[in-house]
């Protein structure tokens, strides 16, 4: 754009061997033509277009430097439009704008014969524009004596009048200049002379020696006027007749000569009617036309074929008939969509369903339009062409569409301009308001007609979008004849090729989200998920925004007053490989927008539209350019107020764009003092606007720098005027071009510090911004999808880190547990546990650090880094403390059950010794198995009878019986009648109401009696409790249930047994909590005694299975009858060996192996449980993610099972439901995968243990040999070696005589006996025994529950949806992706029994209200209702939510029966909801 670039001096590189030879400068025009010759058609067109903008002459006929074939580059002129003004026959000034290839103008041809002393080009410049060197000539800066590529080139330039008296010519005139000797370039000479209106010939003179007499004579014979300029003659102007003139130039004043020639040309043109049109040049033979190149020709043919479909049609109607989807149908859809975000009426969901139905019907109507021939042909053409051919096709379509509408648009613009001035004049008078109203309506009609007539590629792309959106909205896509999915791919290809893409439809003021999303998805497929830097722009209309962007990045945004941008467009700019080293992204995405305060939108547009646009593009851009035209204070104030408010909104939703201000059209930009003053005024104005906006947005900000990082010195740029002089003949101001370069450099400096945004994230950002804007309350409605997705990713990683720490601590706990049981250690300190965990802790810290540094969203993740580091540290401290507590419990229990274990060991070892004595008596009958078996059975029966007699039997327990007995003994005054049928206990958490369990507290004081009467009346009609009270009681019950669960686990019944003091402790705790609750000041009620009774029964019913299962394990381990029944077979084998005369070592070794059986079993089951939990975290779909993933599978299972009670349990007691679901999933996994997963793990574990025991036996033998020890030493060493993996110690063999054992045989005995024990253990592997063999806390389901349920369980105060945050005490608001119907949580409409059908996310977008503690609260201000509401972020969301709509319809009767209310009147279920199937409901969970 900087025309001074032509004058850059370019020199040859100096060569080593050419030191003495001169290296002349390269001629500037040789540089231009060299590039022109090497360029493809598109670059040539761009070059010529830029030359035209710089008001330079353009190549018209270009000889090939090698073949001398002449080329006519018609294609390069196709993008050039020229505007001028002239007077018509009525002496009125009229404007004209035409593509230059269509303009019919007179043409003045200049050429010379031979060598002349005067510059032909310089003289032409004087005629066209004295202040600008349109044609390069010998006296121009940078010119050189040598010129290689210009001879034979014909250049053309147009003079365009401005309608002023100073115009050189009254109409547009073309000037052609043949460079070089015309005699040597006969073809060019022939073409020019045949088409010119006036010929101007340069000759030295008419002397006898003139060798060009024949050519001169031919010119004199031509009908066109001829002006001969004799450079070596001083003759005066002479007319030779027939419009032939001669004038000498020698010794003449250049200015005088120029005026004479100008006058001669003007006179000649008046007499000449012949006109010239560029396209006619192509009709000459013997030249090559660039448009005949195959790719260009095929592109043109395809475009012409499509345009044939519009032949003869009215341009103002073709859009309506050929692009039917984007007209009224699309506008109606947009209108309803905006209304959808502002629901009204008593039944919001009915209103919402009606609107959604209407929108679907519009989409169906759009589909029914089918594909019009025009669109079908266009799409098929695009799909069939590739590369340059497609680009040529699109360019031709742009040209031909412009041709099709230009004439009518020109007339309409002229009519609009005239009407605008009339209306403006009438506004000043204000004497006839009715006429003013009529004229304003007429002006609006003209504007609408302009809009209907405008037809370009952007409208075809818009139709693409509407076809795609309507067809993709159809659920059943079978039988579609057209592959609509190809449309986004075609649009993405166009974007990659450099065409702008409409982001916001300016006519409908709407973003077609489905379409834009699809196109960006296709971009990701084609380019990869690249990083882009988004640069957006804002400014008043016609302030030069698009021009500036086009100049800065070489873009194609529509410019000129007749083509103002409507809506917003985006265009990709690829970052060069060199620049990528400085920038962190691959593309710059430039977003151009419609002007704020557009006059044609006045009356139908409001400040709201400008604010909407500003908020959208500011939120979208990594940087926004604020374009201010001039320094008009009122205009500045308008735009600054909008911009400041937009940036303030970004701050409140945690988006951090940057901005720069550009003052265009500033006159004296060289005055530094003035710039400083301007900056100071801008800063003051920004601060002033900030204070105003802060009040509207309720934001604490005193100055603009409180809102956004902004440096007034560096982030404000002043631009010179665009034109150097007055259009239409003025070139661009070089200072403006330099300002552009400076701005671009500053932008890239800012950009180098930015991380940009991924294309997928940009797609989500567009959706977030637009959805929030539709809801008007932007800050309240904005949902940052990128932040949400990034946080979810972080939660998933956090889940892995925490599981890694928990898993490592489980290994440590297991090892130390074994050592405690073996009495190898006697205390546990936190420091010891921390030391053990350090290695894993450091590994997790490194993994965390790498994640926060290297993840693609590292910049966004950084805000949570500190918080998650603290949470990991806290988790580590918690699991260390918890492990210490559990191990200390083991230490205490070891002491408490020491006597019990010692007695059992004593009995076992006594039986062993006595069986040895008995075996000695029957050695001789060892071969008679019947005798041996009979004797052993008799002996065993006698001995165990003695043991059982001396030890009381372990009886069965009856938890609920104990509860009744304790109630009868301790709480005789309680109403215990309803305890008789204890099987019909109430699920207290899922009760629909607790009103029957409470009395309202009595009031005192003067008004107390009246208040108590009112409360009594409420109790009589059953409306004692408010919704908040019901939620408070339910939360109270859940808290008690959670705490009692922990109490029950701490009893460790599997190890310590049971007595009814456990139940007494539970009852006492519940009683204390109930009394404590009633004393709270914010509690308005007291519980009846029935509440206490039912709550205790509920808690004990819940605990019954845990008590029973754990007690079963205790009984199996400690009931003498059961225990010695299990041991009988093992002792019989040893008895047999004694009878058969086995050595003492054999007997002792076999006994040791028998003792190892239970510890081996315990180890195998524990290890397998942990390995299984690890595997399920990876392989089980429902358990391999975070809590949200788990909930999705729970909801799927609930839908498949269709169990209403299970649903209510999930809604009212989600934590318990989650736990039960995990238990069921683990149980199912074990059952289904036992053979291929569980058993192999057990086999692997047992194999490793067998190896470890064998190695320990061998090492113990070696130790005994080294120290000359005995069997006792061997046993001590063996137990030490195994103490960290097995609960096995020397005290387990106390009383067993091993004095005569020969140690050297023990290793072989162990190797021989151990496989039998292992085989016995293997035989017991089954799905039934697996959970039974494990302590409750060691089961895989409990390990996973500890991990997956350690999260936030706060429920939405409206619909009871669970906060999805995976951290219990997380910072920030509670949130959930999808809310549900309030009626599911028992909400009803005030003073009715109609269950609410509203969904939270719809309600907060409405103008309705709800009641909290009798206070009316607008839904949009729900946070003001109290702390539990204020802690939730509920953003408007119009998602379909098929799942919960299906649930309400499927279980309507159950819900009505449960809550004793109905879905009627205000709560009537919309008919649309009943269309959802169970399959659709389940499928929606994956969206």
């Amino acid at each position: 754009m900087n025309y001074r670039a032509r004058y850059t001096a370019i020199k040859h590189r100096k060569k080593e061997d050419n030191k003495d030879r001169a290296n002349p400068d390269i001629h500037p025009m040789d540089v231009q033509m060299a590039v022109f010759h090497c360029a493809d058609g598109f670059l040539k067109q761009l070059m010529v277009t830029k030359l035209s903008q710089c008001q330079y002459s353009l190549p018209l006929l270009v000889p090939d430097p090698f073949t001398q074939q002449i080329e006519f580059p018609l294609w390069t002129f196709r993008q050039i439009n020229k505007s001028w003004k002239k007077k018509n026959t009525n002496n009125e000034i009229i404007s004209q704008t035409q593509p230059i290839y269509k303009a019919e103008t007179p043409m003045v041809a200049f050429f010379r014969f031979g060598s002349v002393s005067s510059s032909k080009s310089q003289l032409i410049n004087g005629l066209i524009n004295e202040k600008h060197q349109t044609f390069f000539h010998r006296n121009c800066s940078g010119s050189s004596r040598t010129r290689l590529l210009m001879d034979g080139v014909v250049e053309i330039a147009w003079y365009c009048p401005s309608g002023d008296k100073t115009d050189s010519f009254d109409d547009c005139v073309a000037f052609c200049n043949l460079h070089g000797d015309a005699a040597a370039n006969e073809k060019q000479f022939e073409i020019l002379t045949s088409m010119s209106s006036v010929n101007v010939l340069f000759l030295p003179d008419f002397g006898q020696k003139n060798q060009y007499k024949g050519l001169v004579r031919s010119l004199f014979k031509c009908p066109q006027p001829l002006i001969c300029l004799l450079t070596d003659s001083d003759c005066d102007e002479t007319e030779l007749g027939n419009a032939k003139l001669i004038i000498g130039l020698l010794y003449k004043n250049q200015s005088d000569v120029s005026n004479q020639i100008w006058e001669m040309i003007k006179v000649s043109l008046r007499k000449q009617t012949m006109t010239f049109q560029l396209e006619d040049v192509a009709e000459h033979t013997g030249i090559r036309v660039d448009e005949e190149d195959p790719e260009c020709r095929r592109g043109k043919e395809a475009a012409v074929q499509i345009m044939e479909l519009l032949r003869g049609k009215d341009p103002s109607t073709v859009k309506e008939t050929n692009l039917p989807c984007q007209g009224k149908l699309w506008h109606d859809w947009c209108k309803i969509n905006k209304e959808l975000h502002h629901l009204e009426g008593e039944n919001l969901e009915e209103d919402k369903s009606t609107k959604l139905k209407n929108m679907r019907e519009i989409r169906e109507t759009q589909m029914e339009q089918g594909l019009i021939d025009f669109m079908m042909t266009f799409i098929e053409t695009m799909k069939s062409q590739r590369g340059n051919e497609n680009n040529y096709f699109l360019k031709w379509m742009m040209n031909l569409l412009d041709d099709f509408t230009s004439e009518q648009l020109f007339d309409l613009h002229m009519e609009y301009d005239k009407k605008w001035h009339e209306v403006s004049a009438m506004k000043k008078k204000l004497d006839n308001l009715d006429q003013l109203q009529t004229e304003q309506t007429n002006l609006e009609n003209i504007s609408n007609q302009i809009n209907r007539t405008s037809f370009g590629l952007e409208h075809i792309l818009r139709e693409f979008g509407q076809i795609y959106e309507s067809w993709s909205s159809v659920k059943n896509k079978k039988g579609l004849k057209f592959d609509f999915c190809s449309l986004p791919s075609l649009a993405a290809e166009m974007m990659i090729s450099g065409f702008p893409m409409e982001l916001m439809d300016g006519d409908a003021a709407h973003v077609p989200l489905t379409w834009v999303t699809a196109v960006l998805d296709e971009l990701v497929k084609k380019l990869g998920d690249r990083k882009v830097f988004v640069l957006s722009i804002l400014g008043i209309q016609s302030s030069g925004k698009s021009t500036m962007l086009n100049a800065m990045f070489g873009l194609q945004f529509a410019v000129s007053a007749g083509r103002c941008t409507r809506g917003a467009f985006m265009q990709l700019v690829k970052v060069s490989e060199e620049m990528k080293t400085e920038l962190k992204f691959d593309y710059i995405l430039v977003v151009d927008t419609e002007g704020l305060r557009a006059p044609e939108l006045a009356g139908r547009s409001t400040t709201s539209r400008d604010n909407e646009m500003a908020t959208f593009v500011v939120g979208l851009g990594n940087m926004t350019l604020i374009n201010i035209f001039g320094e008009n204070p009122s205009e500045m104030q308008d735009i600054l107020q909008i911009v400041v408010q937009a940036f303030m909104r970004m701050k409140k939703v945690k988006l951090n764009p940057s901005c720069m201000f550009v003052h265009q059209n500033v006159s004296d930009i060289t005055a530094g003092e003035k710039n400083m003053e301007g900056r100071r005024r801008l800063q003051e104005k920004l601060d002033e606007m900030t204070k105003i906006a802060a009040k509207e947005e309720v934001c604490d900000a005193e100055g603009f720098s409180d809102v956004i990082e902004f440096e007034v010195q560096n982030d404000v740029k002043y631009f010179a005027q665009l034109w150097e002089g007055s259009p239409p003949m003025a070139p661009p101001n070089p200072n403006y071009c330099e300002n552009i370069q400076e701005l671009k450099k500053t932008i890239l400096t800012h950009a180098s510090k930015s991380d940009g945004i991924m294309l997928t994230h940009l797609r989500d950002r567009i959706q977030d911004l637009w959805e929030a804007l539709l809801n008007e309350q932007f800050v309240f409605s904005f949902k940052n999808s990128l932040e949400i997705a990034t946080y979810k990713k972080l939660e998933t990683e956090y889940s892995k880190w925490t599981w890694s720490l928990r898993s490592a601590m489980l290994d440590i706990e297991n090892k130390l547990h074994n050592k405690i049981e073996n009495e190898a250690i006697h205390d546990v300190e936190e420091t010891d546990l921390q030391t053990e965990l350090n290695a894993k802790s450091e590994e997790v810290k490194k993994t965390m650090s790498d994640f926060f540094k290297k993840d693609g969203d590292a910049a966004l993740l950084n805000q949570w880094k500190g918080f998650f580091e603290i949470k990991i540290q806290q988790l580590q401290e918690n699991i260390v403390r918890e492990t210490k507590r559990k191990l200390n419990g083991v230490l205490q229990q070891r002491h408490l059950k020491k006597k019990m274990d010692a007695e059992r060991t004593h009995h076992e070892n006594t039986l062993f010794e006595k069986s040895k004595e008995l075996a000695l008596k029957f050695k001789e009958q060892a071969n008679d198995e019947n005798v041996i078996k009979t004797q052993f059975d008799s002996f065993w029966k006698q001995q165990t009878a003695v043991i059982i007699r001396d030890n009381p039997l372990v009886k069965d327990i009856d938890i609920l019986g104990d509860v009744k007995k304790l109630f009868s003994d301790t709480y005789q005054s309680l109403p215990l009648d309803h305890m008789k049928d204890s099987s019909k206990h109430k699920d207290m958490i899922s009760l629909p109401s607790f009103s029957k369990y409470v009395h309202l507290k009595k009031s005192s004081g003067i008004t107390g009696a009246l208040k108590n009467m009112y409360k009594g009346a409420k109790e009589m009609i059953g409306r004692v409790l408010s919704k908040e009270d019901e939620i408070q009681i339910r939360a109270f019950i859940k808290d008690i249930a959670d705490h009692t669960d922990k109490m029950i686990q701490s009893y460790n019944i599997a190890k310590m047994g049971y007595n009814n003091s456990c139940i007494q402790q539970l009852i006492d705790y519940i009683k204390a909590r109930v009394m404590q609750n009633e004393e709270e000041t914010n509690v308005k009620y007291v519980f009846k005694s029935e509440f206490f009774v039912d709550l205790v029964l509920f808690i004990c019913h819940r605990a019954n299975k845990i008590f029973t299962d754990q007690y079963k394990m205790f009984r199996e381990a400690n009931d003498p009858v059961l225990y010695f029944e299990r041991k009988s077979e093992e002792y019989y084998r040893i008895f047999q060996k004694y009878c058969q005369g086995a050595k003492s070592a054999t007997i002792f070794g076999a006994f040791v192996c028998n003792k190892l059986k239970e510890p081996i079993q315990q180890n195998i089951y524990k290890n397998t449980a942990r390995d299984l939990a690890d595997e399920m975290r990876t392989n089980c779909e429902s358990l391999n993610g975070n809590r949200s993933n788990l909930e999705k599978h729970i909801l799927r299972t609930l839908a498949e099972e269709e169990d209403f009670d299970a649903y209510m349990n999930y809604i009212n007691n989600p934590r318990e439901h989650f736990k039960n679901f995990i238990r069921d999933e683990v149980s199912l996994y074990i059952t289904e995968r036992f053979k291929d997963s569980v058993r192999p793990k057990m086999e692997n574990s047992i194999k490793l243990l067998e190896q470890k025991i064998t190695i320990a036996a061998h090492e113990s033998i070696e130790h005994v040999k080294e120290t000359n020890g005995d069997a006792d030493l061997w046993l001590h060493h063996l137990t030490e070696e195994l103490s960290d993996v097995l609960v096995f110690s020397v005290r387990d063999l106390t009383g067993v005589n091993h004095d005569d054992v020969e140690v050297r045989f023990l290793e072989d005995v162990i190797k021989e006996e151990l496989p039998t024990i292992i085989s016995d253990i293997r035989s017991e592997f089954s799905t039934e025994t697996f959970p039974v063999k494990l302590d409750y806390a060691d089961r895989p389901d409990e390990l996973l529950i500890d991990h997956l349920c350690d999260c936030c369980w706060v429920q939405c105060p409206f619909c009871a949806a669970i906060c999805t945050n995976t951290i219990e005490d997380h910072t920030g608001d509670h949130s959930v992706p999808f809310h549900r119907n309030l009626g599911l949580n028992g909400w009803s409409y005030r003073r009715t029994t109609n269950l609410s059908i509203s969904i939270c996310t719809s309600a907060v977008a409405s103008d309705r209200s709800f009641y909290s503690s009798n206070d009316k609260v607008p839904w949009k201000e729900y946070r003001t209702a109290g702390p539990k509401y204020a802690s939730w972020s509920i953003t408007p969301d119009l998602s379909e939510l098929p799942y919960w709509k299906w649930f309400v319809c499927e279980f309507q009767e159950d819900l009505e029966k449960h809550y004793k209310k109905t879905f009627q009147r205000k709560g009537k279920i919309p008919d649309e909801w009943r269309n959802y199937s169970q399959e659709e409901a389940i499928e929606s969970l994956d969206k």
Side-chain angles (χ1 to χ4, degrees), residues 93-207:
I93 294 176
I94 59 170
S95 297
Q96 283 199 313
T97 300
Q98 284 190 1
I100 201 60
Y101 61 85
K102 289 180 70 177
E104 294 186 24
T105 66
M107 188 261 277
V108 183
F110 287 77
F111 27 77
R112 67 176 169 86
F113 293 146
S115 179
V116 294
S117 57
S118 295
S119 170
K120 178 168 80 290
S121 299
Q122 189 171 3
L123 188 139
I124 303 173
N125 292 343
L127 298 173
I128 295 177
N129 187 347
E130 291 181 349
K131 297 176 182 178
H132 187 63
Q133 308 296 343
T134 305
F135 290 88
F136 194 90
H137 56 84
R138 66 185 70 164
N139 298 317
C140 284
S141 175
S143 181
S144 65
R145 296 172 69 87
T146 56
R147 192 179 70 182
L148 301 176
L149 300 175
M150 283 300 292
D151 281 352
V153 173
V154 175
E155 288 189 303
I156 188 170
W158 284 264
Y159 174 82
C160 297
S162 61
D164 293 335
K165 292 178 180 179
T166 56
D167 287 340
S168 299
F169 300 95
D170 299 330
D171 203 345
C172 183
V173 180
F175 289 84
C176 287
N177 182 11
L178 172 57
H179 291 275
D181 189 346
N185 297 283
E186 291 183 14
K187 189 63 184 177
Q188 294 93 311
F189 176 69
E190 176 195 327
I191 294 171
L192 288 181
T193 52
S194 66
M195 303 185 75
S196 62
S197 304
V198 177
N199 293 319
V200 180
L201 172 65
F202 279 68
L203 267 177
D205 58 35
F206 280 141

Side-chain angles (χ1 to χ4, degrees), residues 1426-1473:
K1428 64 183 176 185
Y1429 298 97
S1431 64
W1432 272 85
S1433 171
I1434 307 173
T1435 52
D1437 185 356
L1438 297 172
S1439 301
E1440 281 193 70
L1441 304 178
Y1443 187 92
W1444 291 109
K1445 291 176 181 177
W1446 166 82
F1447 169 77
V1448 169
C1449 299
E1450 183 70 18
F1451 294 99
Q1452 179 181 348
E1453 291 181 11
D1454 298 282
L1455 285 164
E1456 291 175 336
K1457 184 178 177 183
H1458 180 78
Y1459 288 114
K1460 297 183 175 58
K1461 297 175 183 177
T1462 60
F1463 285 107
Q1464 291 179 355
R1465 297 182 180 88
K1466 291 182 180 179
K1468 178 180 176 294
I1469 298 172
D1471 294 335
E1472 290 287 307
W1473 288 21

Side-chain angles (χ1 to χ4, degrees), residues 347-355 1397 1468-1471:
N347 190 325
L348 296 178
E349 295 306 320
E350 183 74 43
D351 185 29
K352 178 179 167 184
S353 291
T354 302
K355 285 179 167 55
I1397 202 66
K1468 178 180 176 294
I1469 298 172
D1471 294 335

Side-chain angles (χ1 to χ4, degrees), residues 1234-1367:
F1234 190 81
K1235 285 185 179 179
D1236 65 342
S1237 180
V1238 183
R1239 192 178 184 98
K1241 285 180 177 56
M1242 299 175 83
E1243 293 285 359
N1244 184 55
S1245 187
I1246 205 169
K1247 183 180 176 184
L1248 293 172
L1249 264 181
E1250 187 176 4
Q1251 289 173 359
K1252 189 167 182 68
I1253 293 167
T1254 306
I1255 291 167
H1258 171 73
E1259 288 178 352
S1260 299
I1261 293 286
E1262 295 300 317
H1263 180 69
V1264 170
K1265 286 179 183 178
E1266 290 172 8
T1267 55
N1268 198 24
D1270 56 8
D1272 190 54
L1273 181 62
W1274 178 85
L1275 186 60
H1276 271 87
H1277 194 274
L1278 179 72
T1279 55
E1280 283 177 15
E1281 288 291 311
L1282 298 175
S1283 66
D1284 61 339
V1285 290
L1286 297 176
V1287 180
F1288 177 60
S1289 65
V1290 173
R1291 61 187 167 83
D1292 290 327
L1293 288 97
T1294 304
V1296 176
N1297 186 2
H1298 46 264
D1299 295 339
D1300 56 345
V1301 171
E1302 295 183 64
V1303 177
R1304 60 197 175 90
F1305 296 117
L1306 283 173
E1307 182 183 353
D1308 293 334
V1309 173
I1310 296 294
K1311 284 181 178 177
E1312 185 179 337
E1313 292 295 327
L1314 195 57
T1316 306
I1317 299 300
I1318 297 296
S1319 179
D1320 287 348
I1321 294 170
R1322 278 199 181 100
S1323 67
E1324 295 177 17
F1325 287 171
S1326 73
T1327 53
E1328 290 78 20
T1329 61
F1330 186 79
V1332 177
K1333 294 287 184 184
L1334 283 164
D1335 283 348
Y1336 189 77
D1338 294 328
R1339 287 162 48 168
D1341 49 1
E1342 295 307 314
L1343 298 178
L1344 289 166
I1345 285 169
D1346 285 346
H1347 177 65
L1348 289 167
C1349 294
D1350 182 20
C1351 50
C1352 186
W1353 290 100
V1354 177
Q1355 291 181 268
C1356 172
F1358 298 111
C1359 70
I1362 320 152
C1363 173
T1364 51
N1365 202 300
T1366 55
I1367 299 175

Side-chain angles (χ1 to χ4, degrees), residues 744-757:
K744 184 176 181 181
K745 186 178 178 182
T746 308
I747 290 170
L748 293 176
T749 302
H750 276 281
S752 65
K753 300 170 188 173
S754 168
D755 291 321
I757 186 170

Side-chain angles (χ1 to χ4, degrees), residues 13 70 91 300 370 532 642 647 899 1143 1174 1225 1266:
R13 276 203 197 98
I70 298 166
N91 210 31
K300 181 179 181 180
V532 297
I642 295 167
F647 278 112
K899 182 181 176 184
K1143 295 177 182 178
D1174 266 331
E1225 284 292 279
E1266 290 172 8

